[in-house]
Amino acid sequence: MLEVLPKLPADPILGLSAAYREDPNPNKIDLGVGVYKDENGNTPILSSIAKAQKILLAQETSKTYITPQGVQGYINGMLELLLGKGHPAVIEDRVAAVQAPGGCGALRVLSELLKRCNADTTVWVSDPTWANHIPLIGSAGLNIETYPYFDKATANIKFDEMADCLKQVKKGDVVLLHGCCHNPTGADLTKEQWQTVLEIAQQQGFIPFIDVAYQGFGDGLEDDAYGVRLLTTNLPEVIIAASCSKNFGLYRERVGLAVSVTNSSATRQIVQTQIQSIARAIYSMPPSYGGALVDIVLNDPLLKTEWQGEVEDMRVRMQSLRQLLVAKLAEKGATKDFSFVTQQKGMFSYLCISPEQVKAIRAKHSVYFVDSSRVNIAGISLKNVDALATALVDVL
């Protein structure tokens, strides 16, 4: 049976990681996979999470299944983080949610929900978007279209073109939006642009599907939720996939949340049964551990304050690395203006160089990032920034 299957090419990002590991160059630089790294290149366990682990170890008395929707304290804490305290949809019992295995699990659960609503649903994604969006959504059997988003020539969002495209989106279609820290470009919508997206959604009747994977890494935990809160306050239906991989550092724990904001409590109850049914058919029961840790952190005032400080420290460090890289490139004599890197937000930036230049820097200098020119800013350090800038100037 299995002999008929063709061998598939390696995943572009995971394949890059494998190539990096095999490179014998002691000065190689990894800017590929999107994980936060400290100055020593480690992905640390946050202090607040380490303390939560000790609390959980002391208080956990069973390894039986948790409830189908997940850890309720986790869900409540995450909804407040995403939507703010006292959000009307929460107060009015209009929000269905399940804990999912990471942001990917949340994206897939919600994609399956859309498929159940309408087998011919079309999801519009930004050009470009995160590499795994299309496989996750497309594998659910949904149609996929793209809307213009980023211009590599000018390193700016093509918002006029984006808005014109969204004005053609049909009622009932779905538009995937990055809540903050756009992956892969790092170019985020302004508050005014979010307002325009809201007005077009109200006019066209499409449903926003917001992916929130980096809350806190752009302008801060509250500011990064601006678009999510604007749309969920002013539209009858919005779906949200959230991840705790980055801002809680829980990459291997796979902690996510699938959220559906509905137009009534009655609809919420129906959707809750549907998303739990979908989850049951995919992975049966949600994992407990990571969600239990986030529950402890978000519902303990002291730990929550400590965690907020840790997220702010990561955000500020990545901003300073952006500024440092741009300064080093200028110092090394770069003829290209890279100042746009300091305007981009979050963990990633598009360097707006060609795939040929990306391959050249990999071959000549053992600097690894994907062909699109997306780099993981958190992979830069005081130890490697000079070598990185020298390598970039060499291939430009």
Side-chain angles (χ1 to χ4, degrees), residues 77-108:
M78 285 295 293
L79 289 178
E80 183 173 315
L81 186 66
L82 290 163
L83 304 179
K85 197 162 189 170
H87 192 284
V90 175
I91 294 172
E92 295 162 12
D93 188 35
R94 295 190 287 109
V95 182
V98 292
Q99 180 182 335
C104 291
L107 285 161
R108 185 52 183 266

Side-chain angles (χ1 to χ4, degrees), residues 9-19 32-33 131-132 135 362 369-371 374:
D11 178 273
I13 298 176
L14 301 182
L16 192 69
S17 295
V33 175
N132 211 23
R362 192 182 307 156
F369 52 92
V370 291
D371 290 351
R374 186 201 82 167

Side-chain angles (χ1 to χ4, degrees), residues 46-106:
L46 300 187
S47 173
S48 54
I49 290 294
K51 292 174 182 176
Q53 288 181 138
K54 292 179 180 178
I55 293 171
L56 181 60
L57 181 63
Q59 71 183 23
E60 189 174 51
T61 59
S62 175
K63 288 297 184 184
T64 191
Y65 296 118
I66 58 175
T67 58
Q69 75 270 20
V71 178
Q72 193 58 49
Y74 163 75
I75 294 172
N76 294 343
M78 285 295 293
L79 289 178
E80 183 173 315
L81 186 66
L82 290 163
L83 304 179
K85 197 162 189 170
H87 192 284
V90 175
I91 294 172
E92 295 162 12
D93 188 35
R94 295 190 287 109
V95 182
V98 292
Q99 180 182 335
C104 291

Side-chain angles (χ1 to χ4, degrees), residues 111-363:
S111 296
E112 295 287 350
L113 177 66
L114 294 173
K115 183 71 173 179
R116 287 190 179 187
C117 293
N118 177 6
D120 295 322
T121 296
T122 294
V123 179
W124 294 76
V125 303
S126 64
D127 179 19
T129 195
W130 176 47
N132 211 23
H133 273 150
I134 291 174
L136 278 168
I137 297 167
S139 293
L142 300 173
N143 304 310
I144 296 176
E145 297 285 351
T146 60
Y147 60 84
Y149 190 78
F150 190 76
D151 185 354
K152 288 182 75 170
T154 63
N156 286 313
I157 294 175
K158 299 189 281 190
F159 189 71
D160 289 343
E161 291 180 45
M162 173 182 171
D164 288 342
C165 182
L166 295 186
K167 288 174 183 176
Q168 310 305 315
V169 173
K170 300 193 303 292
K171 182 178 181 180
D173 278 4
V174 176
V175 175
L176 183 70
L177 300 160
H178 297 228
C180 61
C181 306
H182 186 275
N183 180 1
T185 69
D188 281 1
L189 299 177
T190 64
K191 291 181 178 180
E192 293 75 20
Q193 290 169 338
W194 275 111
Q195 180 64 37
T196 301
V197 170
L198 167 63
E199 292 168 1
I200 298 172
Q202 290 171 324
Q203 171 189 323
Q204 296 300 115
F206 64 71
I207 300 167
F209 186 169
I210 310 176
D211 187 358
V212 186
Y214 307 95
Q215 186 177 351
F217 280 8
D219 294 315
L221 287 163
E222 290 297 303
D223 286 345
D224 286 354
Y226 179 83
V228 172
R229 295 176 186 178
L230 179 71
L231 269 55
T232 54
T233 301
N234 294 284
L235 292 171
E237 294 180 325
V238 177
I239 56 177
I240 306 162
S243 169
C244 298
S245 292
K246 275 70 178 181
N247 54 9
F248 286 90
L250 292 170
Y251 298 91
R252 63 176 59 173
E253 268 68 48
R254 310 306 299 135
V255 193
L257 190 70
V259 179
S260 177
V261 178
T262 68
N263 63 359
S264 71
S265 177
T267 303
R268 194 282 304 169
Q269 294 174 44
I270 294 169
V271 173
Q272 187 70 42
T273 66
Q274 289 287 338
I275 54 178
Q276 287 181 202
S277 166
I278 291 165
R280 175 71 168 161
I282 300 175
Y283 53 84
S284 184
M285 303 295 282
S288 170
Y289 187 69
L293 296 178
V294 176
D295 175 16
I296 292 168
V297 170
L298 291 182
N299 292 292
D300 180 303
L302 291 179
L303 283 182
K304 184 176 182 180
T305 298
E306 181 176 1
W307 169 73
Q308 289 168 333
E310 291 182 288
V311 174
E312 180 68 5
D313 288 345
M314 290 188 283
R315 183 183 73 83
V316 170
R317 177 172 176 270
M318 287 186 285
Q319 283 185 330
S320 68
L321 289 172
R322 291 177 179 279
Q323 295 164 354
L324 179 61
L325 175 61
V326 172
K328 289 291 183 181
L329 286 166
E331 178 186 303
K332 303 289 183 183
T335 54
K336 179 181 175 69
D337 180 10
F338 282 96
S339 60
F340 60 85
V341 170
T342 62
Q343 305 304 313
Q344 295 169 348
K345 298 175 183 178
M347 188 177 286
F348 301 111
S349 274
Y350 247 27
L351 292 183
C352 300
I353 62 177
S354 69
E356 292 73 26
Q357 290 170 320
V358 174
K359 289 171 183 173
I361 197 173
R362 192 182 307 156

